[in-house]
Amino acid sequence: GAGVSQTPSNKVTEKGKYVELRCDPISGHTALYWYRQSLGQGPEFLIYFQGTGAADDSGLPNDRFFAVRPEGSVSTLKIQRTERGDSAVYLCASSTAGTENTEAFFGQGTRLTVV
Amino acid sequence: AQSVSQHNHHVILSEAASLELGCNYSYGGTVNLFWYVQYPGQHLQLLLKYFSGDPLVKGIKGFEAEFIKSKFSFNLRKPSVQWSDTAEYFCAVNAWANDMRFGAGTRLTVKP
């Protein structure tokens, strides 16, 4: 597609439920990033994929969060046993990282609300 | 991993005033530097970027930024702001082949 696509755009879930957030990056972009942005804060790094593998997952807050990118394109961020504190906008970005000069393109985000 | 500090949380200016937003990063190696802007209700958009070469970088909408390697800084400037510049501004750093880290952001309010 022309840009990074994230679905759904909004998700409301009950505390304790499981959610999946999808990111469809720009075609050909090998790098994919997930960030979480709370109100009034900058994007907080969660995980970075280079191809199919997670090159850096140091930003995942705990083991309830997991992300996959099985074919090196679409990625899914999975959150188990959601908590109210997980409410935020989850951003996905993609780039041709791995080369020296690159920039990341962002999707519109998924607004997750845990009630 | 690299970290990014933005000094100003909220800046309020009148139209036509000059703007400078501070950004410092901590990473000793070669970095790519970015400023992103987020208008109300919209997604992050790239304002400008620095990869190498001339440390004074010009971006869209009259913004520019200067990379000062010795100070680990990449401050954003605009000589004369407009009401439409009201937005959140984020500085970001990407070390080659590594992930990108963002500052906490600076909210700019321009009064008409």
Side-chain angles (χ1 to χ4, degrees), chain A residues 41-64:
Chain A
Q41 302 293 318
E44 173 194 3
F45 170 77
L46 296 177
I47 186 170
Y48 159 57
F49 286 92
Q50 185 61 258
T52 60
D56 184 350
D57 64 358
S58 63
L60 295 177
N62 51 59
D63 61 6
R64 295 188 297 106

Side-chain angles (χ1 to χ4, degrees), chain A residues 10-115:
Chain A
N10 278 284
K11 175 72 177 177
V12 180
T13 191
E14 292 180 347
K15 179 176 177 293
K17 298 288 189 183
Y18 167 82
V19 296
E20 288 190 354
L21 312 180
R22 177 188 167 107
C23 173
D24 203 334
I26 293 172
S27 178
H29 279 189
T30 56
L32 186 145
Y33 310 81
W34 282 101
Y35 293 87
R36 177 169 69 175
Q37 187 175 20
S38 300
L39 196 62
Q41 302 293 318
E44 173 194 3
F45 170 77
L46 296 177
I47 186 170
Y48 159 57
F49 286 92
Q50 185 61 258
T52 60
D56 184 350
D57 64 358
S58 63
L60 295 177
N62 51 59
D63 61 6
R64 295 188 297 106
F65 288 74
F66 189 69
V68 296
R69 196 185 185 199
E71 298 178 358
S73 178
V74 171
S75 176
T76 304
L77 178 66
K78 307 180 181 192
I79 310 174
Q80 299 177 321
R81 305 182 304 280
T82 51
E83 299 177 357
R84 292 195 177 87
D86 299 335
S87 297
V89 176
Y90 288 81
L91 298 170
C92 177
S94 71
S95 76
T96 57
T99 59
E100 195 165 330
N101 298 336
T102 184
E103 66 180 85
F105 295 85
F106 282 82
Q108 293 273 12
T110 294
R111 182 175 299 278
L112 175 66
T113 303
V114 182
V115 296

Side-chain angles (χ1 to χ4, degrees), chain B residues 11-106:
Chain B
V11 173
I12 303 172
L13 296 172
S14 298
E15 275 195 315
S18 64
L19 169 72
E20 180 158 3
L21 302 182
C23 173
N24 285 90
Y25 65 93
S26 63
Y27 185 72
T30 302
V31 293
N32 299 325
L33 299 160
F34 308 85
W35 277 97
Y36 282 84
V37 61
Q38 190 170 30
Y39 297 103
Q42 296 190 26
H43 65 285
L44 284 163
Q45 301 171 41
L46 183 69
L47 204 53
L48 49 77
K49 60 193 176 189
Y50 172 82
F51 292 149
S52 64
D54 189 344
L56 185 61
V57 178
K58 294 194 184 297
I60 61 172
K61 303 185 181 186
F63 286 91
E64 64 179 31
E66 185 176 13
F67 170 50
I68 303 180
K69 189 174 182 180
S70 61
K71 294 184 178 181
F72 297 89
S73 70
F74 189 56
N75 292 355
L76 181 71
R77 300 195 292 249
K78 184 170 183 178
S80 176
V81 295
Q82 301 173 311
W83 175 79
S84 59
D85 294 326
T86 294
E88 189 101 24
Y89 293 81
F90 297 97
C91 181
V93 175
N94 166 239
W96 181 37
N98 289 333
D99 53 79
M100 181 181 291
R101 301 297 173 116
F102 284 80
T106 297

